[in-house]
């Protein structure tokens, strides 16, 4: 296939806060626990995770964490 026809897949850019939330989620924290540790509400945690799912094309927390491990997003 010619190079011009290949699809380029870009890695999503994660904000530092998204990386923090994702790292805590991968460590087993609940939305409430993540919020408490970061000083934000559980609703804000949900918003960060929803945006992460949209950016990565995942549909749930488990897929999001697996993808994060595979792509080295976790700190």
């Amino acid at each position: 296939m010619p190079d011009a026809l290949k699809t380029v897949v870009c890695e999503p850019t994660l904000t530092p806060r998204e990386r923090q939330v994702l790292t805590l989620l991968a460590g087993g924290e609940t939305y409430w626990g993540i919020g408490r540790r970061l000083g934000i509400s559980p609703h804000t945690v949900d918003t960060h995770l929803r945006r992460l799912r949209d950016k990565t094309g995942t549909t749930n927390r488990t897929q999001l964490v697996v993808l994060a491990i595979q792509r080295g997003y976790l700190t």
Side-chain angles (χ1 to χ4, degrees):
M1 177 183 308
D3 287 336
L5 298 178
K6 291 182 181 175
T7 303
V8 176
V9 177
C10 297
E11 292 287 326
T13 302
L14 305 184
T15 67
R17 181 62 98 187
E18 288 171 339
R19 286 183 183 272
Q20 287 177 320
V21 169
L22 189 52
T23 298
L24 292 170
L25 180 71
E29 288 283 353
T30 63
Y31 284 28
W32 185 85
I34 294 168
R36 184 174 42 84
R37 292 195 50 187
L38 297 179
I40 58 178
S41 74
H43 178 76
T44 303
V45 172
D46 182 60
T47 299
H48 285 303
L49 291 172
R50 191 171 353 101
R51 288 181 182 159
L52 280 164
R53 287 192 306 271
D54 289 344
K55 284 183 178 184
T56 60
T58 56
T59 57
N60 59 50
R61 292 179 295 175
T62 303
Q63 288 178 350
L64 183 58
V65 170
V66 168
L67 184 76
I69 292 168
Q70 290 173 342
R71 293 192 180 169
Y73 293 154
L74 303 177
T75 55

